Amino acid sequence: MSSVQEMKALLTPKSIAIIGASSKDNAIGNIVVKNLIESHFEGAIYPINPKAPEIRGIKAYPSILDVPGEVDMAVFCVPAKAVLGAAEECAKKHVKGYVIITSGFSEIGHEGAEVEKKIVEVAHSGGGRVMGPNIVGVLLNGSKANASFAPCLPLDGKTALISQSGALLISLDMNTFVRHLGASSMISLGNMSDVDFADCINFYAEDDKTNCIGLYIEGLKNGRAFIEAGRKAGKPIVALKSGVSAHGAAAAASHTGSLAGSVKVYDAAFKQAHVIRARDLDELLDCSQALALQPVMKGENICVVTNGGGIGVLSSDSAEAYGVPLKTAPADLQVEFKKCMPDFGSAKNPVDITGGAGLKGYEDAIAVALKSDWVNGLAVLYCETANTEPDEIAEGILAAVKNNGTNGKPIVTCFVGGFKCQAAGKKLIEAGIPFYENPDKAMRALSALRQAALFQEEGIADDYVPAKDVDQAAARAVIAAARADGRSVLTEPEAKKVFAAYGLPVGKALVAKTEDEAVKMAAEIGYPLVMKIVSPQIIHKSDAGGVKVNIKDEAGVRAAWKTIMDNAKAFIAKKDIKDAAIHGILLQSMAPLGKEVIVGSVNDPQFGPTVMFGMGGIFVEVLKDVTFRVAPFSQKTAMGMLPEIKSYKILQGTRGEKRLDQERLSEIISRISQLVSELSDEIAETDANPIMLYPEGEGLAVVDARIILKKK
Ligand code: ACO
């Protein structure tokens, strides 16, 4: 069975057993039985209890093996020590879904994790999948199954909400009635011993009752499966990620490593997974509402119709902040809008029909906006006034939409006012029009609809095709030699050989073992040149006084040799480094000055190799102006990274300077992504830093290189 078929068997049950069903009123095993009855589950309910003959009027069985028919889902409400034994019985019965509410497994430590692993093995042996443990259960509106200890099924709707936290899921369940935002299902994932976010995305991507998938994520076990599932879902996904601290960064040895942190990596992974990131719970639910109810926004022109100048300006500020700035309406459209307002209104956009405008003003302006080819998305804003009734305005919006059609454009609303506005909002949402209580939320919703459209346009494939002119064997040989030498840090010449094998321009470089040899090599390379210490123990060469630049003649080579050697020896002595080895001094031609950029990679525990790009110098060190992607990825994806840094204007050419060679830069970033994913079994971190980037058509030069291997 495919993962989707297994998930279908689990999430569309026709029969449910409650293992540990209890007669005690407040026991979870009693509540689950009650919930299944009260949610009007139409399939068979089988309470399992060693002693009780019936529970809540339904015949009970001492063991699941005594149940006469098939059992699709078993909800576990027995204490932790009884779960494995009960799972073994379920496996014999070929139960398809194990919904394990019980706590006390991997979340409490190693011993619990071991039992959890065994439970999954047992379930798989009988062809079942495990949800949890440590969950509230699952709430499935399609099957009318409240197989959980949440109070009731959520309001029915078009969003599948999937949460790692059970308590949060329960609270969102009840919140659906307050927000009038329904859910097709609510899934609690807990410890994710087996079923994870990717499994759920794969299933809900194919579920015709679900338009949008909303996620609350604490951590992922398989980041790559998540990216793949999200990308191929073809359905809007919005996610809130908690715990976004820079974990693990302190332990990283390379420059890139110290800049990696889960926030930036998650940002990158979400983009690659086509997941819209919500910053808080409100945003998760507000965006879900828009994505579930409205079509995506196929162009970038938002039109705002408002009776209040203030909320109009606020919407304009928010739209800009969310990356979908309002534009002035074209002149012919302004002429049409002018007909819907008094002389003192504004037709520019926001279209301010003014406080004096009543229902008719709204209906007319909405009709103009909906018919216009220029408008791609519409926000109707309203301030409660004494000359209008919120309910009438809501009715007017619905009538305008009904009479004119939306022509595939999304429409959102925002009413600022009192209880009447709330009631009008309920009416709008029930009719499929998103409603928000402030203009910022309305603009955030439209920006999410725009983002979803851009993801759709991007398509499923990343169009990554590995470069063919690479020599993986040569790169592996360099690494093997370093390993044979007992090292996990490559020297600069070794790192450059690995980079060169993947087509990176590292320039000509030779390592001299003696001063005289250095003089000969210098003549071969040509002046001016750079000399650098080669020692596996000296990673930050400049800090150790191990670098001399702009050497112009033989005397310079001899002077540099002495200084570098003296400095390196002093550094080794000062740091008291045992068994330090000096391999010699590297001589390389001096790359002409360009704009310094950095490309590096680090292994993320959840996503594997990730590649970072940023401008060099203070931009990277002080401002941490960098961006990431999960490797490998295409040159096109790499191109998309460049505008994400704040100093992007430098790449575009500032103050009369030429645009820099972004094409070559993006090719190199993609090549590094290929290198670190093809050699992911060996490489922990890399830095190409600095890279001298030259004007368009002139390429770049990798000036320094660092590769740190995985510990084996
Ligand atoms: N087969 C069938 N029934 C069994 C078995 C078995 N092998 N073993 C025990 N039972 C029965 C018991 O006899 C009892 O029934 P009874 O009341 O008729 O005697 C029933 O199962 C329950 O057993 P209890 O020992 O009473 O367990 P209790 O109900 O106290 O606790 C529970 C079980 C709820 C699963 C508990 O162990 C637990 O894990 N609680 C935490 C649940 C939770 O919070 N999950 C995370 C949600 S996420 C969030 O944060 C909200």
Side-chain angles (χ1 to χ4, degrees):
M1 253 204 264
S2 74
S3 149
V4 174
Q5 284 167 326
E6 286 169 355
M7 290 300 291
K8 194 168 178 199
L10 168 56
L11 294 175
T12 55
K14 306 272 180 302
S15 48
I16 301 180
I18 304 90
I19 304 193
S22 166
S23 310
K24 289 184 211 121
D25 264 358
N26 275 330
I28 288 185
N30 185 282
I31 293 169
V32 175
V33 178
K34 171 174 163 268
N35 279 348
L36 284 167
I37 297 168
E38 290 183 353
S39 62
H40 306 291
F41 178 59
E42 283 158 357
I45 302 174
Y46 301 117
I48 310 295
N49 182 290
K51 286 178 241 129
E54 58 85 29
I55 286 169
R56 287 195 174 260
I58 302 179
K59 178 175 166 49
Y61 298 85
S63 155
I64 195 158
L65 294 171
D66 300 316
V67 172
E70 278 188 17
V71 179
D72 289 339
M73 178 191 285
V75 185
F76 286 64
C77 309
V78 287
K81 60 181 181 335
V83 172
L84 183 57
E88 279 161 356
E89 293 188 346
C90 287
K92 280 190 200 136
K93 186 81 183 162
H94 296 294
V95 169
K96 292 163 192 144
Y98 296 52
V99 173
I100 305 182
I101 290 179
T102 314
S103 302
F105 294 95
S106 60
E107 80 277 15
I108 61 158
H110 178 70
E111 220 172 288
E114 288 299 305
V115 183
E116 195 175 289
K117 231 164 95 186
K118 277 196 198 122
I119 293 167
V120 174
E121 281 166 17
V122 165
H124 286 183
S125 74
R129 298 291 305 266
V130 178
M131 193 80 92
N134 191 26
I135 60 176
V136 287
V138 294
L139 296 93
L140 311 168
N141 260 326
S143 305
K144 294 191 187 161
N146 179 7
S148 81
F149 64 94
C152 60
L153 281 175
L155 182 71
D156 197 18
K158 294 279 187 187
T159 300
L161 273 171
I162 299 148
S163 166
Q164 228 163 329
S165 154
L168 187 68
L169 194 81
I170 298 190
S171 53
L172 293 184
D173 175 24
M174 300 322 290
N175 203 240
T176 59
F177 296 95
V178 178
R179 290 178 179 260
H180 319 295
L181 166 67
S184 55
S185 306
M186 294 187 108
I187 306 292
S188 163
L189 285 182
N191 295 2
M192 293 200 298
S193 64
D194 180 17
V195 170
D196 62 8
F197 284 103
D199 291 307
C200 292
I201 292 170
N202 287 336
F203 172 75
Y204 285 108
E206 292 188 13
D207 176 39
D208 56 13
K209 292 189 180 68
T210 300
N211 290 350
C212 161
I213 302 170
L215 312 174
Y216 167 75
I217 302 174
E218 283 170 3
L220 294 171
K221 287 193 172 162
N222 185 347
R224 278 162 191 272
F226 175 80
I227 293 178
E228 201 184 309
R231 219 172 160 103
K232 72 174 205 281
K235 218 172 243 190
I237 304 173
V238 54
L240 172 59
K241 164 78 179 84
S242 67
V244 283
S245 64
H247 71 97
S254 73
H255 208 85
T256 305
S258 66
L259 289 160
S262 58
V263 189
K264 287 201 184 239
V265 174
Y266 264 93
D267 265 343
F270 279 7
K271 275 183 203 135
Q272 287 170 276
H274 288 177
V275 168
I276 296 161
R277 182 164 169 212
R279 314 275 141 180
D280 58 27
L281 269 179
D282 259 352
E283 233 183 75
L284 174 68
L285 298 172
D286 290 339
C287 292
S288 300
Q289 185 189 161
L291 294 162
L293 298 180
Q294 290 290 305
V296 300
M297 193 166 98
K298 295 207 174 99
E300 57 192 18
N301 297 336
I302 291 176
C303 175
V304 172
V305 172
T306 177
N307 68 343
I311 54 171
V313 179
L314 285 172
S315 73
S316 179
D317 291 348
S318 296
E320 190 171 300
Y322 293 128
V324 282
L326 297 190
K327 295 183 204 151
T328 305
D332 55 341
L333 187 56
Q334 287 193 38
V335 170
E336 294 305 309
F337 279 133
K338 267 285 176 198
K339 295 176 191 163
C340 316
M341 61 183 70
D343 289 348
F344 47 88
S346 170
K348 286 186 176 151
N349 194 29
V351 177
D352 185 357
I353 56 175
T354 78
L359 179 59
K360 173 121 179 46
Y362 269 107
E363 282 179 336
D364 292 350
I366 294 169
V368 170
L370 290 178
K371 283 186 201 146
S372 157
D373 288 339
W374 182 81
V375 175
N376 302 118
L378 173 63
V380 182
L381 315 184
Y382 165 73
C383 288
E384 192 172 348
T385 59
N387 60 336
T388 53
E389 277 299 322
D391 185 63
E392 271 179 25
I393 302 295
E395 288 289 352
I397 293 170
L398 295 176
V401 168
K402 193 170 166 212
N403 297 337
N404 300 286
T406 59
N407 297 320
K409 312 176 210 284
I411 168 166
V412 302
T413 61
C414 155
F415 284 25
V416 184
F419 293 119
K420 287 180 178 175
C421 286
Q422 294 300 318
K426 180 169 184 276
K427 184 175 270 182
L428 285 163
I429 295 172
E430 281 169 0
I433 309 268
F435 168 87
Y436 304 101
E437 67 277 9
N438 73 51
D440 184 76
K441 288 180 171 215
M443 291 302 120
R444 176 67 185 112
L446 283 177
S447 74
L449 289 163
R450 179 67 192 133
Q451 184 60 62
L454 291 173
F455 283 150
Q456 278 182 10
E457 278 168 28
E458 226 175 73
I460 291 171
D462 167 51
D463 61 25
Y464 166 72
V465 181
K468 295 213 168 42
D469 58 341
V470 302
D471 191 346
Q472 192 186 131
R476 283 195 182 275
V478 174
I479 291 170
R483 288 235 188 253
D485 198 25
R487 287 182 284 119
S488 61
V489 178
L490 301 192
T491 61
E492 183 184 337
E494 287 169 340
K496 282 188 166 166
K497 274 189 199 153
V498 172
F499 278 167
Y502 273 76
L504 270 65
V506 291
K508 187 163 184 183
L510 297 167
V511 180
K513 299 240 183 304
T514 64
E515 188 180 317
D516 287 341
E517 201 182 4
V519 170
K520 267 192 223 136
M521 287 174 172
E524 191 186 328
I525 293 168
Y527 295 98
L529 46 76
V530 183
M531 290 171 67
K532 298 178 191 173
I533 192 74
V534 182
S535 165
Q537 287 75 30
I538 304 177
I539 298 177
H540 300 286
K541 296 178 283 280
S542 296
D543 296 353
V547 181
K548 290 282 162 201
V549 298
N550 207 14
I551 297 159
K552 295 196 174 98
D553 50 27
E554 182 184 329
V557 172
R558 292 193 184 279
W561 181 274
K562 285 191 185 67
T563 314
I564 291 173
M565 279 298 176
D566 288 350
N567 287 349
K569 283 173 192 159
F571 179 82
I572 287 166
K574 191 171 156 210
K575 297 270 171 188
D576 198 18
I577 303 171
K578 301 275 178 289
D579 305 325
I582 294 179
H583 292 194
I585 290 182
L586 174 85
L587 290 93
Q588 67 179 68
S589 52
M590 198 156 137
L593 275 182
K595 283 277 179 303
E596 287 187 19
V597 301
I598 172 173
V599 181
S601 76
V602 69
N603 256 297
D604 181 88
Q606 293 170 8
F607 294 99
T610 60
V611 172
M612 181 199 85
F613 159 72
M615 297 300 294
I618 60 156
F619 292 100
V620 65
E621 276 158 28
V622 182
L623 304 173
K624 305 201 183 320
D625 184 14
V626 295
T627 182
F628 281 80
R629 283 293 184 284
V630 177
F633 50 84
S634 65
Q635 183 178 359
K636 187 174 152 212
T637 298
M639 249 334 214
M641 293 170 79
L642 309 186
E644 289 175 5
I645 59 165
K646 293 187 197 85
S647 34
Y648 175 58
K649 278 195 181 142
I650 297 174
L651 296 178
Q652 292 288 71
T654 47
R655 300 187 182 176
E657 285 178 344
K658 276 177 81 180
R659 179 179 179 273
L660 299 178
D661 202 336
Q662 296 183 24
E663 285 66 31
R664 183 76 171 127
L665 174 61
S666 53
E667 187 208 333
I668 291 307
I669 297 174
S670 172
R671 277 178 183 268
I672 291 182
S673 86
Q674 179 178 352
L675 162 69
V676 295
S677 47
E678 288 183 357
L679 301 181
S680 63
D681 56 321
E682 293 282 10
I683 294 178
E685 296 173 35
T686 67
D687 265 349
N689 177 34
I691 294 174
M692 291 295 172
L693 180 62
Y694 305 119
E696 202 158 15
E698 293 175 35
L700 50 79
V702 177
V703 173
D704 201 351
R706 188 172 301 156
I707 294 180
I708 295 154
L709 302 179
K710 283 186 169 167
K711 298 255 180 308
K712 283 200 173 168

